[in-house]
Amino acid sequence: LPGRAEGPRPAAAGSADFDGNGRVDLADFYRLADAFGRPATGGLAALDLDGSGAVGLGDFYRFAAAWRP
């Protein structure tokens, strides 16, 4: 609706903007860091940027490349 404020949108698949606010920033970093070393299942699947099935170093490299606070 016109004039209606929109909140954050869900991030696109493979996007490092996990909270959908249009920026890859500290909030996204904290989410990735908290999940490091865990299987990328359920709600953590979006954090698996390299498609390895786990949240790990490859995901951090891709996250760093996308960093735009």
Side-chain angles (χ1 to χ4, degrees), residues 1-68:
L1 296 169
R4 182 176 167 206
E6 292 185 35
R9 295 182 178 162
S15 170
D17 178 19
F18 306 127
D19 60 9
N21 70 355
R23 297 183 313 269
V24 177
D25 56 15
L26 277 177
D28 302 304
F29 172 79
Y30 292 143
R31 188 166 177 197
L32 186 65
D34 187 51
F36 188 81
R38 296 171 60 188
T41 58
L44 299 181
L47 307 178
D48 184 16
L49 300 175
D50 66 359
S52 67
V55 180
L57 195 55
D59 304 305
F60 272 96
Y61 288 141
R62 289 176 186 247
F63 180 87
W67 180 258
R68 302 285 184 273

